[in-house]
Amino acid sequence: MNELAPRRHIVLPVEGMSCATCATRIETALHAMPGVTAAVNLAAEQAEVDFDPLRNDAPAIAAAVQQAGYGIKHERRELAITGMTCATCAGRVEAALAAVPGVVGATVNLASERATVEAIAGITRPADLVAAVHRAGYGAELLTGDAARDREMEVAEARRWRRESLRIALAAAFAAPLLLPMLGVALPAWLQLVLATPVQFVFGARFYVAAWKALRAGVGNMDLLVAMGTSAAYLYSVALLIVGMHGAHLYFEAGAVVIVLVMLGKFLEARAKRSTTSAIQALRALRPEKARVERDDGEVEVPVAAVALGDVVVIRPGEKIPADGIVLTGDSEADESLLTGESLPVGKHPGDTVTGGALNGGGMLRVETRAVGAQAALSRIIALVEAAQATKAPAQRFADRVSAIFVPVVLLVALASFLGWWLIAGDAAAGLIAAVSVLVIACPCALGLATPTALMVGTGAAARAGILIRDAEQLELAHRLDTVILDKTGTLTEGRPSVSDIIPNGTTEDALLMLAAAAQTGSEHPLARAILQRAAGVALPPLSEFRSHVGSGLTARVGGAAVAIGNRALMEECGVATASLEDAAAALEKQGRTVMFVAALDPAPALRGIIAVADPIKPNAAAAVRRLQLLGIATIMVTGDNARTAAAVARAVGIERVLAGVLPAEKATEVRRLREAGRHVGMVGDGVNDALALAAADVGIAMGGGADVAVAAAGITLMRGEPLLIADAIAVSRATYGKIRQGLFWAFVYNVAFMPLAAFGLLSPMIAGAAMAMSSVSVVANALLLRRWHPTGVH
């Protein structure tokens, strides 16, 4: 039988192979598995595997590769989910996706109706994911990032909601007359039946369909509660008509009005949820569709997707910039407000960088493209915001656990209410109404929406201000921060130092500058750039050797002679006496300037002079420190610069605690020391030497324009080098978590506090239905108030 089973073929992308032995090792491990044959391609870094699906499966094969000591690449897929109504639905979809072979993790966002799936590349097919969601009773469509397809889905959704608004209007028209008996107007019983039946079984059909799917899957959801409650009221009223109990009160209006209210509530909730994605929609809208590219035969208009690296694009006044690049010719200004939060247009001149999606001002620019597609800044920003909105905050996991057990508990409470009224009070009709009210009021919709809606609006508001938050966990950690460590250069200062003083010792200024500049040609340090800029146009002797001493300076061989440039520690290490210029150096350092000692090491160590560099303090640095302190956050400055310079900068910005002369590894050590002492630590930096500390902190905050490695290590990235945004990042985190707490509180109030009222007959089904419908709407509307949040930073 096994021999006749169709074999499956998969291609696994393998990480970590370095030689032919690695490939052989993986093949040996796979061939040892029953029914498996494999060929490993070292150059392509992949394993082609055929296997008998009756004797083995793809996850086991991937596990065998990992057990052999190698990695399997993962891929991320996103799906649009339809048909979810509450947190229980989201949990069902998550479970269905997680059960697909090869899936490592699945997260479903009820607010955005999106599922994010991480799976082993080469094993999980998109069709398998879609099929799994369909089997769970919901709709799914793979999101490909195709702008045209996204627009088609938006148009289809708009049509769907227009149809839904018409359905609600018709259902309300049938249900409204059923309320007349409550106003003392007689309505024949047969007419009540005629009006209630289409509402119950035509307009309310969706609840029965979704409830049946839930029952087949062995779970409960909002639809099951609504279907059971309204059916009970409807069938009880029909039973009274059949047995001919004339004059008995009928409850057709209870079921019909509840259905209309729930439909209306879900409609309003959906409209409100669409508003939570306004920030990401605004970012997507920045993507231009066409670009004007220079070719040999002139300018050609092409789709933006066809623009390649190195192409020269022409941007006319008022047009969107199609790609990241460098201005070749032209002078203009660009509106980058939706990208960086900078409200004022930024001047653009030859040599300046431009960002795709920004709006060109009044001049024409010729730009050489440097990044396109997924590598462009706009694409990376959108991806980061989408990723943050797709993640689950720890608070959401608690709500999910509660929602998972909520429906069975509600069913028990409803049954107990009915039996209590019937057996103890002797009033079966009152018991029925109490049970219906319990079933309707207790839907956990609001509980499932409280966290994701606030998270989506909060991260969107932050993105509009130029604050990119990597994921929900970073947002939660940021609101707890009580200590912030600030790097000096590039964070509190401009990071663009310039030479302020040259003091020779036994030589001339020109000779000293030439010696220092020649040695610095091998360095990318900001201080080196300052010296090279000062020496622009000067003929420099050749550099034959170069060695960087992290945190202290450099040694080099210039024109055949050994030299050393750096701080006192390096001079001491090289045997250079600095006493002759110590007074001058101290005076400059007290002014906040960074002093570099320059020494010749051949034929004997001798100090040749000092060069001082001034790095201006950012205009809002002091205000930023005050804002952090007003938020109750302790501020510490940690820098590799000398103590006097660091103290001068600290005094100017209002920081009392300073750690100077600190090496990169020591920055990370200080972060860990504070965390071990019970502090919640944020680290702010922009350079390569800050990456270790950024990664070690509870929350790493990378300043805009900093090194890529710093941005990669950070949980929060500030799109501008504006220090006021540091406090804004913490403020938006606190505001977002305030809304999450409020949403969860009100969700519990609706579900927990109102359920006993319903059970004791103090809530009619209609009031329960209205309260349930408005609970979700109010939670989402409260989260939307976050859109009013704006940074206090000066733009």
Side-chain angles (χ1 to χ4, degrees):
M1 189 72 178
N2 286 359
E3 288 78 1
L4 299 176
R7 294 178 68 82
R8 275 196 63 190
H9 177 80
I10 58 174
V11 179
L12 294 177
V14 181
E15 296 178 313
M17 293 191 295
S18 58
C19 62
T21 306
C22 298
T24 303
R25 184 176 171 186
I26 295 172
E27 285 182 354
T28 302
L30 293 176
H31 288 153
M33 302 179 71
V36 175
T37 58
V40 179
N41 188 319
L42 176 62
E45 294 186 318
Q46 63 186 28
E48 296 206 28
V49 184
D50 285 290
F51 66 95
D52 181 349
L54 297 179
R55 303 176 67 190
N56 242 306
D57 58 25
I61 293 169
V65 174
Q66 292 171 321
Q67 287 170 4
Y70 302 91
I72 299 291
K73 292 179 183 177
H74 291 175
E75 61 186 358
R76 177 172 289 189
R77 302 278 189 180
E78 286 203 16
L79 297 93
I81 309 295
T82 56
M84 294 189 298
T85 55
C86 65
T88 308
C89 298
R92 254 176 76 198
V93 175
E94 273 187 10
L97 290 170
V100 175
V103 171
V104 177
T107 303
V108 175
N109 189 317
L110 177 62
S112 64
E113 297 182 319
R114 294 288 186 269
T116 303
V117 180
E118 187 176 350
I120 299 171
I123 290 182
T124 308
R125 297 174 298 183
D128 296 335
L129 301 175
V130 173
V133 176
H134 286 163
R135 285 194 299 272
Y138 303 91
E141 183 169 352
L142 184 70
L143 295 174
T144 61
D146 182 356
R149 180 61 187 144
D150 289 345
R151 282 194 296 273
E152 286 178 14
M153 291 177 64
E154 288 173 7
V155 170
E157 186 180 19
R159 284 199 299 266
R160 181 164 63 92
W161 286 111
R162 280 197 297 271
R163 290 195 300 268
E164 182 63 14
S165 62
L166 178 61
R167 287 171 58 86
I168 293 170
L170 290 173
F174 277 91
L178 295 172
L179 297 174
L180 291 176
M182 299 177 62
L183 303 175
V185 179
L187 198 65
W190 64 268
L191 182 56
Q192 293 185 48
L193 176 63
V194 168
L195 291 171
T197 300
V199 177
Q200 187 73 41
F201 298 109
V202 178
F203 300 110
R206 70 185 61 189
F207 298 110
Y208 290 99
V209 172
W212 171 243
K213 290 178 180 178
L215 286 174
R216 281 195 312 175
V219 295
N221 61 3
M222 181 206 79
D223 303 291
L224 179 63
L225 298 179
V226 172
M228 288 182 64
T230 58
S231 296
Y234 177 86
L235 294 175
Y236 179 72
S237 300
V238 171
L240 291 178
L241 282 178
I242 291 173
V243 299
M245 294 186 64
H246 299 290
H249 181 76
L250 303 178
Y251 295 99
F252 285 118
E253 86 284 353
V257 173
V258 164
I259 285 175
V260 173
L261 288 172
V262 173
M263 289 173 66
L264 179 61
K266 300 308 289 182
F267 179 79
L268 296 175
E269 173 194 316
R271 285 179 61 92
K273 284 196 294 187
R274 287 203 296 275
S275 297
T276 65
T277 61
S278 60
I280 201 74
Q281 290 168 351
L283 285 170
R284 287 186 184 132
L286 292 179
R287 287 171 167 161
E289 295 183 1
K290 300 288 184 180
R292 197 172 290 103
V293 181
E294 288 186 356
R295 300 294 189 218
D296 293 339
D297 53 351
E299 293 178 12
V300 178
E301 192 174 82
V302 300
V304 166
V307 177
L309 289 176
D311 279 349
V312 176
V313 295
V314 178
I315 306 139
R316 292 175 179 167
E319 292 182 340
K320 288 179 182 176
I321 297 171
D324 299 357
I326 301 291
V327 176
L328 298 178
T329 62
D331 296 282
S332 186
E333 54 188 20
D335 179 359
E336 300 176 344
S337 56
L338 281 176
L339 290 166
T340 66
E342 174 61 68
S343 59
L344 297 177
V346 180
K348 298 297 178 183
H349 311 286
D352 290 341
T353 59
V354 294
T355 305
L359 186 64
N360 185 31
M364 188 171 79
L365 299 175
R366 292 177 63 251
V367 172
E368 181 184 344
T369 59
R370 295 293 178 89
V372 294
Q375 300 306 311
L378 177 58
S379 295
R380 288 188 283 122
I381 290 170
I382 291 173
L384 195 59
V385 176
E386 286 179 331
Q389 294 184 345
T391 57
K392 279 192 178 182
Q396 178 65 27
R397 299 189 188 106
F398 168 71
D400 288 348
R401 288 195 297 271
V402 172
S403 297
I405 63 171
F406 212 77
V407 172
V409 170
V410 170
L411 293 175
L412 290 175
V413 173
L415 179 62
S417 301
F418 173 72
L419 294 175
W421 279 95
W422 181 26
L423 299 177
I424 298 174
D427 192 342
L432 175 69
I433 296 305
V436 171
S437 298
V438 168
L439 291 172
V440 172
I441 192 65
C443 171
C445 303
L447 200 60
L449 288 168
T451 298
T453 50
L455 185 66
M456 291 173 69
V457 181
T459 52
R464 283 195 300 271
I467 302 166
L468 301 183
I469 300 169
R470 189 172 65 198
D471 54 39
E473 185 176 5
Q474 293 296 312
L475 188 71
E476 179 173 30
L477 291 170
H479 93 279
R480 298 176 179 173
L481 295 181
D482 53 30
T483 303
V484 168
I485 296 177
L486 300 156
D487 178 49
K488 179 179 75 70
T489 304
T491 300
L492 296 173
T493 65
E494 295 286 359
R496 295 189 296 272
S498 59
V499 174
S500 60
D501 300 272
I502 300 175
I503 303 177
N505 186 43
T507 185
T508 64
E509 284 191 17
D510 290 343
L512 179 63
L513 179 62
M514 183 178 66
L515 181 67
Q520 297 279 17
T521 55
S523 174
E524 290 296 323
H525 196 281
L527 299 180
R529 289 197 295 270
I531 293 175
L532 290 169
Q533 185 177 7
R534 179 65 174 265
V538 176
L540 303 177
L543 176 70
S544 56
E545 293 179 14
F546 179 89
R547 181 187 172 197
S548 175
H549 299 259
V550 179
S552 57
L554 63 89
T555 53
R557 188 165 293 276
V558 175
V563 298
I565 304 174
N567 58 20
R568 292 174 180 81
L570 182 62
M571 295 299 107
E572 184 177 347
E573 183 182 331
C574 294
V576 179
T578 60
S580 59
L581 293 178
E582 273 296 343
D583 290 342
L588 291 168
E589 288 168 347
K590 287 180 180 178
Q591 297 174 41
R593 295 172 186 174
T594 301
V595 173
M596 291 175 283
F597 293 88
V598 181
L601 303 182
D602 293 335
L607 184 64
R608 289 287 180 259
I610 56 176
I611 297 177
V613 172
D615 187 6
I617 295 173
K618 290 182 176 179
N620 295 318
V625 171
R626 283 195 302 272
R627 280 206 62 218
L628 287 170
Q629 292 167 347
L630 288 172
L631 290 173
I633 296 172
T635 54
I636 303 170
M637 188 174 81
V638 178
T639 178
D641 215 334
N642 66 80
R644 291 194 187 98
T645 301
V649 173
R651 280 195 305 272
V653 300
I655 294 177
E656 294 184 0
R657 187 178 173 202
V658 180
L659 296 178
V662 177
L663 297 175
E666 293 172 338
K667 290 183 181 181
T669 300
E670 176 63 15
V671 169
R672 285 190 287 267
R673 188 191 68 77
L674 288 167
R675 291 184 65 188
E676 289 168 0
R679 309 290 291 183
H680 298 287
V681 182
M683 172 70 201
V684 187
D686 76 324
V688 173
N689 61 348
D690 299 317
L692 285 174
L694 288 168
D698 289 294
V699 178
I701 302 176
M703 298 294 287
D708 287 344
V709 67
V711 172
I716 296 176
T717 299
L718 308 181
M719 294 300 292
R720 308 193 312 282
E722 169 58 70
L724 283 170
L725 287 179
I726 301 167
D728 286 331
I730 297 170
V732 73
S733 169
R734 292 183 178 182
T736 301
Y737 260 80
K739 291 300 180 187
I740 289 175
R741 284 192 295 266
Q742 291 168 19
L744 290 174
F745 171 77
W746 285 112
F748 276 110
V749 166
Y750 278 115
N751 290 136
V752 178
F754 284 3
M755 201 188 308
L757 297 178
F760 285 105
L762 300 177
L763 283 182
S764 73
M766 287 179 290
I767 294 176
M772 188 274 283
M774 293 313 297
S775 67
S776 297
V777 176
S778 62
V779 165
V780 176
N782 185 51
L784 287 174
L785 293 177
L786 272 171
R787 292 197 297 180
R788 298 180 180 178
W789 180 89
H790 58 86
T792 57
V794 177
H795 297 169

